[in-house]
Amino acid sequence: MMETIISSLISAIVAALIAALTTIFVERRKEKNRKSEQQEQNSKYAFENRPEYKIVDYKDYTSRTGYGIKQKCDIDIFMTSIVDVEVQDRVEAFYCEKDFNQSEWCCVIYTFQNVGKTDVSVTDIICNHKRTYVIFQSDFASGYLSHKCLNYSESSDKKVRVGETITIKICYHKDHIIRSAISANLSIGLVDSNGQCWKQSLFAPHNKIYDSFRVPYGRYHSDLRTDDAEECFKDPYKW
């Protein structure tokens, strides 16, 4: 009799424990699904309300040396190729010195309008092919030449509200205009007013830009720096 009571009690405890564990599992699964659905909704909302730049004016002076070089723009960069690198205590980059002669520069000038639904707090122009090309702020390009530095981005903290515009000038040496028909050499990076990061592929020096897409915060800011490229120059297998 006592054994039957103990057996029934143990069975009841085990059944109650199984029921409790099952309830916990089901509730956690529901909570996970709710969070997943909420994240999906947040991502969808962010995408639908993302910032996006559209080219509303484009001036191509690549065949007219010196034209537009003095025009003031919100971002003003010079783009050139890496000739060679040496890895010592740091990575030293070498460039063609004649390319830095500003009297022989040509340029393209873009005016972008924010046609998205969110204000832009920071605009970056980013070099995509870090093994091959660099970009420098035009006024200080010669300093990078003498210091043998790498640089892959330039920035403007001008707030570009929905409907407003920003100007970007890209300079080249007249005999060394960097073009690519296959992939975009540059990207326009956008940090919106919510702190979310976006990129748009820019096919400079052509009048062509792709739609904006979201980029993880860490990846975006890594693309702005030279760290990853320096590691790859030190260990080419990482390219």
Side-chain angles (χ1 to χ4, degrees):
M1 181 68 175
M2 182 60 67
E3 291 180 356
T4 302
I5 294 173
I6 293 173
S7 178
S8 298
L9 182 60
I10 292 173
S11 297
I13 293 172
V14 171
L17 182 59
I18 292 174
L21 291 174
T22 301
T23 300
I24 292 172
F25 174 80
V26 170
E27 289 302 319
R28 286 184 175 176
R29 187 68 177 268
K30 288 180 179 178
E31 181 62 24
K32 183 178 180 180
N33 289 339
R34 282 195 292 269
K35 288 182 178 179
S36 178
E37 290 174 2
Q38 185 62 49
Q39 289 174 352
E40 186 176 342
Q41 289 175 5
N42 291 342
S43 296
K44 182 179 179 181
Y45 178 83
F47 182 79
E48 291 174 346
N49 291 276
R50 70 193 187 279
E52 183 162 282
Y53 282 167
K54 175 184 178 182
I55 301 171
V56 292
D57 190 50
Y58 168 73
K59 295 181 173 65
D60 182 357
Y61 297 127
T62 53
S63 61
R64 305 174 69 186
T65 303
Y67 278 78
I69 296 298
K70 300 299 182 182
Q71 180 174 324
K72 295 293 182 182
C73 293
D74 297 301
I75 299 178
D76 188 337
I77 67 164
F78 167 62
M79 187 173 187
T80 192
S81 297
I82 299 170
V83 174
D84 196 10
V85 296
E86 287 186 4
V87 179
Q88 300 177 7
D89 293 334
R90 68 184 185 91
V91 175
E92 293 187 342
F94 298 86
Y95 310 100
C96 181
E97 188 171 348
K98 79 177 184 69
D99 284 359
F100 289 73
N101 181 357
Q102 293 193 20
S103 66
E104 297 183 349
W105 282 5
C106 59
C107 70
V108 290
I109 300 174
Y110 297 91
T111 301
F112 297 98
Q113 183 180 33
N114 182 2
V115 296
K117 297 181 180 180
T118 304
D119 297 342
V120 174
S121 298
V122 177
T123 303
D124 296 290
I125 187 163
I126 305 165
C127 183
N128 291 339
H129 304 304
K130 294 177 170 55
R131 189 176 188 175
T132 311
Y133 307 121
V134 288
I135 57 177
F136 305 126
Q137 187 174 338
S138 293
D139 290 343
F140 303 105
S142 58
Y144 287 95
L145 171 67
S146 60
H147 288 93
K148 304 173 184 176
C149 295
L150 296 167
N151 193 70
Y152 296 116
S153 65
E154 289 298 333
S155 177
S156 170
D157 61 0
K158 173 185 175 180
K159 190 173 186 68
V160 185
R161 301 183 187 279
V162 173
E164 294 182 344
T165 60
I166 187 170
T167 54
I168 296 179
K169 178 169 61 182
I170 304 171
C171 300
Y172 309 90
H173 187 273
K174 64 181 180 66
D175 297 327
H176 190 192
I177 301 170
I178 299 167
R179 307 177 187 272
S180 177
I182 300 174
S183 62
N185 287 325
L186 298 171
S187 289
I188 302 297
L190 314 173
V191 181
D192 68 24
S193 54
N194 299 311
Q196 297 177 24
C197 302
W198 308 82
K199 288 174 74 175
Q200 294 182 248
S201 298
L202 177 65
F203 290 77
H206 307 295
N207 184 16
K208 181 180 179 181
I209 190 171
Y210 278 177
D211 296 343
S212 61
F213 61 94
R214 192 169 178 181
V215 182
Y217 180 89
R219 179 71 261 170
Y220 182 92
H221 287 278
S222 178
D223 285 344
L224 303 179
R225 301 191 299 269
T226 63
D227 305 45
D228 290 349
E230 288 175 4
E231 286 300 315
C232 291
F233 281 124
K234 292 175 183 177
D235 183 0
Y237 289 104
K238 293 182 178 180
W239 286 113

